[in-house]
Amino acid sequence: MLNDLLQRPVEKRPDVVSLEGRILFLVDDADLVRAQLEGEDLALTPELKAILRDQISTDEITPAYICYFYDETLGDFPYLGLTAANRTTGEREAPVTRGSVRSGGFVCSVAGKRRGKGSSREQSPYAELMAGIRIVVGESIERIYNENCQNLGILTTTDFGVIDRIRAGEAIPLSAFTDGKDDITRQIIEFGGLFEFNIARLQGKVTLPVARALGDDEPGGGPGVSRPMTLAEKIFARKWVVDAATDRLGVPWVEAGEAGFFRTDIRFSHEYVTPMGAIFFEQKLGRDAKVNDPDSILFFRDHLTFLHKAMSQERIEQGLLDVANQLEVKQREFSEKQGIKLYGEQKGHVMGSEAICHSKILEEYAEPGMLIIGTDSHTPHAGAIGAVAFGVGTTAIFNSWITKDVRVRVPPSFKVVVEGTPPENVTAKDYMLEILRHPYIRDGHAIGQIIEYGGPAVQALSVDERATMTNMAAEVGAFTGIVDADRKSVEFMVQERGMDRSRAEALVEGMQSDPGARYVKVIEVDASKVRPMVALPGDPGNGRYIEELEGVVRIEIAYAGSCTAGKKDDMDMYARVFREARDDWGLGVHPDVECFIQCGSIEVREYARSQGYLDLFREVGAAFIEPGCGACINAGPGITSSADQVSVSSQNRNFPGRSGPGQLYLVSPYSVAASAVAGYITGWHPGVPIEPVSPLRPAGV
């Protein structure tokens, strides 16, 4: 394989970009979107710019069911989930239809702030590319989506001046898209994508930043001179690839803005992404090519295990279930061929996955000081134990199968310090909904940064609860989330994995941020003032205290689970509320509510069984679901089926269409269980009776 790559021709793009085609403005006006798709060209006026859609998630660019495809067919589907306002009725509509972007002759697509937030799915920019989009413009662009575009060869910019230049047929210097980029990103753009760059890298045709190797003399100091670093910077310093040919790793220090290649400890992907990566790998390298170090790669069948229970009959008749099932087949065949461990479906009559990828990585694999990449935006879950874990796209993961490394521009870090003692009914999820509504996050300043959680209230959390916070770094728009390793990390590795205590203590040694480490921002949260939170439908940043909700918000569905809220501690919280409701007040799940509890792994299920929780859940009327992602990605029990349905969930995000067409509110595990009993969104208050709303339908109907 390597000899073939060393001989393969590779050239840079031309120094200028010349494009002929139309501009598609993704505006919050359904009629204007339709008008463009039907041939009308709009002028970029201040009024038009003011209604550009902000916060367009990858769920809107390519809804989950679109990602069952992983080839050029995706070009039929960009923006199918995009919603825009009907200016007459005020209702939200989805104005883009299959094939309308591809047939419209568009070469550039324009949006507002935080373009491409959410999932790391590379199907989104790949769908745009296959539809003819060559340049994407946004007031701000999310980190993973931006990197995925660059890796595929799509040009990205926040400079709206390119729009007039495209329309004028002007030859735009490539430097307009590379200025201000680090050397590696600049060259990836110049070579037209990450794979092409890596070929040039192997052939010695690129320039890499000069790393200060461990032991090198530093200006102003002797060998190994260092500086105060955050925990994330320490890990990046350890993992910097100084010389790939000799496998030389490590520099004395790094700082924000430095770019390099970093050696991964774990690389994982799930069935939404593995097949697309496998196709890329086999197309670029040949069907007989072998991955580098298969023992450090993991595959998961976790996202679509329950899809047949959620997919509509119409889509089944369209053949989409058959298409989706091919993802499992392709991943399994590639896993067997490459000798890669696959956490697949459970055997026998029990349905479900063996584990959600994030759950298993933290349960069994992640260690303090590791560098972990995964093809999911919630990969930062493993940061709870003091690892740097972050999401990447398909191109980045398949390139890592070749090189075992990943390119990173070291992000700046900001810190959230949680002080004080929280009320008994406040959880890590409530902290996160409080943090997500902070202007620094809501206004997009945290995009691509590392969020480090600290302070006495964070130190008091279990590793499971810390994982809720690091997991939801994805909703922050952060590069990753991380917590210092400490005695709780040691206890987790000893008790959950049976690790020798001396080894666990050695792993934790030094895996804390240094005094004097630099942060671009420090946000303080007083845990004693936080109360049970709820995020209103549409965005996790729409947080407020539950007590501030206007009127009674009745619910039809309560979904408790996902990687964020399917851990052992979460099961404890659901059980605590349901046991109190049953034993003290004689209550169970409200007759108007369907309640689903889904765990993150077989280990969590067996823990729940051993604690008597499975019997408890059944007795109160909650349906227990085997491990899997499920409703969180519109692929399992717990989704809404109509726009007027209301659900409440302890999952991580509630973007439009994320869990069906209905209205989805986010709350903590305590609150989702209390709401299931009450029939409306409410917090849980220990010892205070839950007062159910009058049923709208008789029990059992």
Side-chain angles (χ1 to χ4, degrees):
M1 178 178 74
L2 183 59
N3 287 335
D4 173 66
L5 295 179
L6 291 174
Q7 301 300 319
R8 187 173 301 190
V10 59
E11 300 293 339
K12 289 186 176 182
R13 297 179 193 249
D15 292 334
V16 296
V17 178
S18 298
L19 293 173
E20 293 184 5
R22 301 174 60 214
I23 312 295
L24 177 61
F25 295 99
L26 303 176
V27 292
D28 197 15
D29 185 320
D31 287 338
L32 285 180
V33 174
R34 289 191 192 95
Q36 295 176 87
L37 296 173
E38 293 168 1
E40 182 179 342
D41 290 322
L42 305 180
L44 180 60
T45 63
E47 293 76 17
L48 188 74
K49 190 172 182 180
I51 62 170
L52 286 171
R53 262 294 313 274
D54 294 329
Q55 317 274 342
I56 295 176
S57 71
T58 50
D59 288 274
E60 291 185 88
I61 300 173
T62 47
Y65 73 93
I66 299 303
C67 300
Y68 309 152
F69 298 97
Y70 50 92
D71 57 17
E72 62 275 4
T73 309
L74 283 163
D76 283 345
F77 301 111
Y79 317 129
L80 243 63
L82 181 79
T83 63
N86 182 311
R87 296 289 169 169
T88 302
T89 66
E91 299 293 324
R92 306 296 298 177
E93 297 179 355
V96 181
T97 57
R98 178 171 182 171
S100 59
V101 176
R102 177 180 257 168
S103 63
F106 299 103
V107 295
C108 176
S109 167
V110 185
K113 299 182 182 69
R114 296 196 67 182
R115 177 178 183 142
K117 66 186 291 185
S119 166
S120 64
R121 62 187 68 161
E122 195 166 317
Q123 287 94 333
S124 294
Y126 192 67
E128 293 173 294
L129 179 67
M130 292 298 100
I133 301 297
R134 297 295 179 265
I135 297 177
V136 298
V137 181
E139 290 185 60
S140 60
I141 303 174
E142 293 283 304
R143 193 270 305 178
I144 300 179
Y145 171 80
N146 197 26
E147 287 186 6
N148 286 343
C149 287
Q150 293 165 355
N151 290 345
L152 286 169
I154 297 176
L155 299 171
T156 66
T157 183
T158 57
D159 177 12
F160 280 68
V162 304
I163 296 169
D164 287 338
R165 300 172 80 174
I166 294 170
R167 279 192 164 151
E170 181 180 336
I172 306 171
L174 188 60
S175 60
F177 304 97
T178 60
D179 284 350
K181 304 292 192 295
D182 62 82
D183 283 347
I184 291 175
T185 300
R186 172 183 57 78
Q187 291 177 96
I188 288 171
I189 295 169
E190 289 174 346
F191 277 98
L194 179 61
F195 178 73
E196 292 74 17
F197 168 83
N198 266 329
I199 293 175
R201 176 184 167 208
L202 291 170
Q203 295 177 2
K205 294 181 178 179
V206 304
T207 58
L208 294 177
V210 178
R212 58 187 82 81
L214 287 172
D216 288 351
D217 289 339
E218 291 292 321
V225 69
S226 189
R227 53 176 284 275
M229 288 186 287
T230 66
L231 172 56
E233 288 169 343
K234 288 183 179 182
I235 296 170
F236 280 124
R238 286 184 175 191
K239 303 297 182 180
W240 191 308
V241 179
V242 178
D243 187 340
T246 61
D247 205 30
R248 190 181 181 200
L249 307 179
V251 295
W253 54 272
V254 300
E255 59 186 353
E258 293 186 309
F261 282 86
F262 298 85
R263 181 59 47 81
T264 61
D265 293 289
I266 297 170
R267 298 157 283 164
F268 72 87
S269 59
H270 52 67
E271 80 269 37
Y272 252 133
V273 177
T274 309
M276 189 174 177
I279 291 294
F280 285 1
F281 186 84
E282 291 172 346
Q283 286 177 345
K284 301 284 189 180
L285 300 171
R287 295 188 62 84
D288 294 328
K290 297 296 183 182
V291 300
N292 185 341
D293 189 16
D295 290 343
S296 64
I297 302 173
L298 296 165
F299 292 159
F300 292 86
R301 162 71 163 170
D302 59 1
H303 274 53
L304 302 177
T305 318
F306 293 96
L307 180 61
H308 64 285
K309 287 182 171 288
M311 184 175 283
S312 68
Q313 186 61 35
E314 178 185 5
R315 286 186 178 155
I316 291 174
E317 291 174 359
Q318 292 171 348
L320 287 178
L321 185 59
D322 292 335
V323 173
N325 287 336
Q326 287 305 305
L327 294 172
E328 185 276 332
V329 174
K330 180 62 178 177
Q331 177 174 253
R332 177 164 38 83
E333 290 177 348
F334 190 71
S335 168
E336 293 170 353
K337 182 177 180 180
Q338 296 288 345
I340 294 169
K341 183 172 180 57
L342 167 65
Y343 284 93
E345 298 182 51
Q346 296 184 58
K347 305 298 183 183
H349 69 281
V350 177
M351 292 180 53
S353 304
E354 293 183 86
I356 299 174
C357 50
H358 314 299
S359 301
K360 179 53 61 178
I361 294 296
L362 181 57
E363 282 177 357
E364 192 166 334
Y365 293 96
E367 296 175 354
M370 276 189 170
L371 193 151
I372 299 166
I373 60 173
T375 58
D376 194 290
S377 59
H378 293 107
T379 299
H381 192 96
I385 205 167
V388 167
F390 55 96
V392 297
T394 309
T395 300
I397 203 73
F398 107 76
N399 273 270
S400 79
W401 295 343
I402 305 168
T403 65
K404 206 180 172 183
D405 56 28
V406 63
R407 64 113 172 181
V408 176
R409 183 178 185 180
V410 178
S413 293
F414 75 102
K415 190 166 188 175
V416 174
V417 178
V418 188
E419 304 273 3
T421 302
E424 190 176 354
N425 60 350
V426 166
T427 72
K429 182 61 169 291
D430 297 300
Y431 293 161
M432 283 310 304
L433 295 181
E434 178 69 45
I435 291 165
L436 282 162
R437 69 173 177 168
H438 190 283
Y440 189 75
I441 285 92
R442 283 288 294 167
D443 294 343
H445 302 297
I447 293 175
Q449 297 182 357
I450 295 170
I451 178 170
E452 180 181 314
Y453 303 101
V458 173
Q459 293 167 356
L461 294 174
S462 66
V463 171
D464 267 5
E465 278 283 80
R466 294 175 186 183
T468 297
M469 300 185 74
T470 56
N471 176 293
M472 292 188 69
E475 281 60 58
V476 171
F479 177 88
T480 192
I482 197 167
V483 179
D484 280 349
D486 60 9
R487 62 179 180 81
K488 290 200 173 183
S489 311
V490 172
E491 295 306 319
F492 181 86
M493 290 184 284
V494 171
Q495 294 175 11
E496 296 296 321
R497 302 181 191 168
M499 184 181 290
D500 179 77
R501 181 172 294 275
S502 61
R503 180 170 183 266
E505 290 173 344
L507 288 171
V508 166
E509 183 69 28
M511 289 295 98
Q512 302 83 32
S513 292
D514 293 327
R518 301 170 188 168
Y519 301 95
V520 295
K521 177 79 174 178
V522 177
I523 295 172
E524 297 181 351
V525 175
D526 185 346
S528 68
K529 295 181 179 179
V530 177
R531 301 191 292 282
M533 298 281 297
V534 58
L536 305 186
D539 194 278
N542 295 335
R544 63 182 60 182
Y545 296 131
I546 290 178
E547 63 197 45
E548 296 173 343
L549 285 173
E550 296 180 5
V552 173
V553 180
R554 300 183 73 118
I555 63 171
E556 294 180 59
I557 296 171
Y559 174 72
S562 83
C563 57
T564 315
K567 308 179 295 297
K568 292 180 180 178
D569 277 16
D570 302 308
M571 298 297 133
D572 291 341
M573 286 187 265
Y574 304 135
R576 185 178 180 188
V577 176
F578 284 130
R579 180 174 287 125
E580 182 183 82
R582 182 196 65 182
D583 295 349
D584 295 353
W585 323 118
L587 298 173
V589 172
H590 193 279
D592 292 344
V593 177
E594 288 185 285
C595 180
F596 303 92
I597 301 175
Q598 190 164 26
C599 62
S601 69
I602 292 174
E603 283 74 12
V604 175
R605 181 198 66 200
E606 291 309 302
Y607 169 77
R609 188 190 308 279
S610 71
Q611 298 297 310
Y613 296 164
L614 299 189
D615 292 335
L616 170 65
F617 297 154
R618 183 180 61 255
E619 290 168 11
V620 299
F624 183 81
I625 310 174
E626 292 292 322
C629 294
C632 181
I633 56 162
N634 202 16
I639 63 172
T640 54
S641 57
S642 63
D644 60 350
Q645 277 192 303
V646 177
S647 63
V648 66
S649 178
S650 50
Q651 66 193 56
N652 41 42
R653 56 178 57 144
N654 59 344
F655 300 146
R658 179 77 184 180
S659 294
Q663 302 299 302
L664 174 61
Y665 293 77
L666 299 183
V667 296
S668 76
Y670 282 145
S671 297
V672 76
S675 299
V677 173
Y680 59 92
I681 297 175
T682 185
W684 172 68
H685 303 275
V688 178
I690 296 171
E691 299 181 4
V693 70
S694 297
L696 296 176
R697 61 178 186 238
V701 176

